[in-house]
Amino acid sequence: MPRLKYASVARVVVILGLFCLWLQIMLSASSGGMYREGEELMNANDTSEQVLALVPPELHKYLTVHPKNSTANSTEKISYKNITDIKRAIQRCNDAQLIHNEDIFGPVQNDTIIIAIQVHTRLTYLRHLIVSLAQAKEIDRTLLIFSHDYYDEEINALVRSIDFTKVMQIFYPYSIQTHPNEFPGMDPNDCPRDTKFDQAVKLKCNNALYPDLHGHYREAKYTQTKHHWWWKANRIFNQLQSTAGHTGMVVFLEEDHYVAEDFIHMLGLLKSTADKSCPQCEILSLGTYLKTYQYHVNSDKVEITPWHSSMHNMGFAFNRSVWSNIMELQEQFCAYDDYNWDYSLLHLSQNRPGREKFKVILCKGPRVFHIGECGFHHKKSNCNASTVISKVQKLLVNAKPYMFPTRVSATVTAGGAKHNKKLVKGNGGWGDIRDQELCANMTRIGRQARRNIYYA
């Protein structure tokens, strides 16, 4: 009997040990590390047949995953060049300002539609965004600017393989990847997030005097997104030679967005409607966060309402004159204690001296969709990209008869309570004086001459 009890206890210990090991692996997979959060959960090597069936065969090349010469499992990080080499590659690319396919589609004009895509590491989502862009009508009239905060050869190769319009890559030069052990990354002597102020002062950690409004210290993986967005916008409007005289629309997308085939057509209708009926509408929005979609009712309807960050930050667009208005309040953007770039813009919108809040004109039938089920703010248990993408594909197939309306009808709304609620304070995460200074310094970099650099 004692032996049976001992055996039972041993089995329980073994089972618990295996469970703990499994839990540790799953937690590691769900967090995905600093750079590839959620990527392995999406099974990047398996785009479902259901998804492929709705992608034209000639575009399958953008979904093809090339096997690496490694037997390592998917949770292990890829071996990259050393940081010095990556920094040099980033500087070469940023200095060159090379526009791929310019010889085929012609130079950038002042009214060329620029589509700015913020890219981190979620390659699976990016592949499907590119497929959706490739199917959009009039895409050959645009310039795609991919803005990266992580240097990845596989991502770079994918972007360079785009052959349906002009393409440029820019690289955020102050990333965690290139500064892993120093600011703007995490310096070993930085204060841990939850350290109490008095304890931080005793520890003499770097940012002890600068917790955020909630008493927490900075986390680089969160501050980077706001830095990257601000750097990207400054780069496009203030620094690139090809955009020096640009007066057209800049559409802001992210790697986990998906566009409808008529999104450029709708952008034109939004702009012409705003010009005629709403000159005070400074922002156009192609995406909204809806739970149900009724294209038979809303495909040709647009709404004019106060702009709100969490509702109108997907596929939104503005031009240089709006950027100039934002730049007038750049100090507020950089000093506002919120690690979200969109809430920081909302703060500006609600505090413009002598001016009303930003107004937006938006599609009631969205033309941009969010397909990202995994990431910093979307950690769902089912992170299979194909499931979500398949839903969007089917939605667009069913909506096809209602796409490309010849005109739109606009309604004006005052917005709901959430639209008009005054921001009392930010979400925090941006109390560190170093983040505020880095942000402010990004606007002081002048326009750089385009260099002709040729690669072997």
Side-chain angles (χ1 to χ4, degrees):
M1 193 67 175
R3 289 180 181 176
L4 289 175
K5 286 185 177 179
Y6 177 79
S8 297
V9 170
R11 278 196 298 270
V12 170
V13 170
V14 170
I15 290 170
L16 285 174
L18 290 173
F19 174 77
C20 291
L21 180 61
W22 173 84
L23 185 61
Q24 184 176 3
I25 292 171
M26 292 304 294
L27 286 173
S28 175
S30 65
S31 63
M34 182 66 74
Y35 303 116
R36 291 192 172 271
E37 67 282 356
E39 182 71 17
E40 63 275 6
L41 293 178
M42 295 184 295
N43 198 1
N45 291 306
D46 181 23
T47 298
S48 72
E49 293 298 324
Q50 192 175 29
V51 169
L52 284 175
L54 292 174
V55 175
E58 65 272 17
L59 300 182
H60 286 192
K61 61 185 179 181
Y62 298 121
L63 300 176
T64 302
V65 178
H66 300 286
K68 302 175 180 63
N69 297 322
S70 171
T71 57
N73 65 48
S74 62
T75 62
E76 291 179 344
K77 291 186 174 62
I78 300 169
S79 176
Y80 289 101
K81 302 175 181 178
N82 64 47
I83 292 172
T84 300
D85 288 341
I86 291 174
K87 285 182 176 179
R88 287 172 180 165
I90 287 173
Q91 183 173 350
R92 283 198 304 270
C93 185
N94 284 346
D95 286 347
Q97 301 185 31
L98 180 65
I99 300 177
H100 297 276
N101 306 325
E102 195 174 26
D103 56 329
I104 301 171
F105 299 102
V108 176
Q109 305 294 330
N110 287 347
D111 61 350
T112 295
I113 295 171
I114 294 175
I115 301 173
I117 303 160
Q118 187 153 322
V119 183
H120 184 47
T121 61
R122 291 179 288 177
L123 179 57
T124 297
Y125 292 133
L126 181 62
R127 291 183 184 279
H128 290 283
L129 169 61
I130 290 171
V131 165
S132 71
L133 289 167
Q135 297 177 83
K137 296 294 190 292
E138 302 181 275
I139 193 67
D140 57 338
R141 298 194 298 109
T142 69
L143 168 65
L144 303 183
I145 299 182
F146 291 84
S147 184
H148 305 263
D149 60 28
Y150 193 79
Y151 190 90
D152 181 289
E153 295 290 5
E154 190 173 4
I155 292 175
N156 294 343
L158 172 64
V159 171
R160 288 195 297 266
S161 73
I162 292 172
D163 58 9
F164 51 82
T165 193
K166 296 183 287 292
V167 176
M168 174 185 276
Q169 283 183 283
I170 59 177
F171 290 86
Y172 172 60
Y174 314 112
S175 69
I176 298 171
Q177 183 194 29
T178 55
H179 300 76
N181 300 308
E182 60 180 336
F183 180 86
M186 290 299 292
D187 189 295
N189 196 44
D190 281 351
C191 305
R193 176 187 183 274
D194 296 322
T195 306
K196 299 300 182 184
F197 179 80
D198 291 343
Q199 182 183 5
V201 171
K202 290 178 182 177
L203 289 172
K204 297 183 179 179
C205 42
N206 292 334
N207 48 337
L209 300 180
Y210 304 107
D212 69 7
L213 57 89
H214 300 294
H216 299 139
Y217 290 96
R218 77 184 295 269
E219 295 177 275
K221 63 181 179 180
Y222 294 114
T223 61
Q224 175 167 274
T225 304
K226 178 173 172 176
H227 280 308
H228 183 183
W229 190 92
W230 186 243
W231 176 86
K232 171 189 65 182
N234 274 278
R235 183 76 174 159
I236 292 170
F237 284 109
N238 299 342
Q239 297 170 17
L240 297 177
Q241 286 299 301
S242 59
T243 61
H246 188 263
T247 56
M249 302 304 297
V250 178
V251 183
F252 291 86
L253 297 178
E254 297 180 13
E255 64 187 4
D256 61 350
H257 290 167
Y258 194 98
V259 301
E261 63 175 334
D262 71 339
F263 88 100
I264 295 172
H265 174 79
M266 286 302 296
L267 183 71
L269 287 178
L270 287 176
K271 185 178 184 305
S272 60
T273 304
D275 290 343
K276 294 175 185 176
S277 307
C278 185
Q280 72 273 29
C281 287
E282 296 167 288
I283 296 175
L284 315 180
S285 180
L286 294 159
T288 53
Y289 298 90
L290 298 177
K291 293 182 179 178
T292 59
Y293 305 90
Q294 298 179 316
Y295 283 91
H296 63 290
V297 176
N298 292 324
S299 69
D300 61 348
K301 291 183 172 59
V302 300
E303 181 182 353
I304 295 169
T305 192
W307 183 80
H308 191 279
S309 53
S310 63
M311 296 179 181
H312 312 126
N313 63 357
M314 180 170 57
F316 80 124
F318 55 79
N319 60 19
R320 181 178 299 278
S321 64
V322 177
W323 174 249
S324 297
N325 292 336
I326 293 172
M327 287 291 286
E328 291 174 1
L329 301 173
Q330 59 184 277
E331 291 182 4
Q332 288 189 43
F333 181 93
C334 290
Y336 188 57
D337 192 357
D338 195 312
Y339 68 94
N340 298 288
W341 60 264
D342 51 350
Y343 273 92
S344 300
L345 283 183
L346 181 60
H347 170 70
L348 265 58
S349 173
Q350 295 183 344
N351 293 276
R352 300 201 292 174
R355 304 186 68 174
E356 292 184 357
K357 293 175 286 190
F358 288 135
K359 273 200 169 54
V360 60
I361 181 167
L362 62 103
C363 300
K364 295 197 75 172
R367 265 54 175 196
V368 177
F369 303 85
H370 180 251
I371 58 173
E373 291 295 288
C374 297
F376 289 144
H377 304 291
H378 303 278
K379 298 185 184 298
K380 294 188 178 180
S381 57
N382 177 12
C383 293
N384 189 297
S386 292
T387 302
V388 183
I389 293 159
S390 179
K391 289 179 181 177
V392 174
Q393 286 178 319
K394 291 175 182 176
L395 170 70
L396 291 174
V397 168
N398 293 332
K400 197 174 182 69
Y402 309 103
M403 295 292 175
F404 297 98
T406 56
R407 61 184 180 84
V408 294
S409 57
T411 57
V412 180
T413 68
K418 187 173 182 180
H419 283 69
N420 297 305
K421 184 179 180 181
K422 181 80 171 177
L423 285 179
V424 178
K425 58 182 180 180
N427 291 298
W430 198 263
D432 198 311
I433 192 68
R434 295 172 300 175
D435 284 313
Q436 297 173 22
E437 290 177 347
L438 174 61
C439 177
N441 286 336
M442 288 179 192
T443 65
R444 300 182 183 128
I445 301 172
R447 191 172 297 280
Q448 299 178 4
R450 180 174 171 180
R451 300 181 188 175
N452 292 320
I453 296 180
Y454 301 93
Y455 298 93

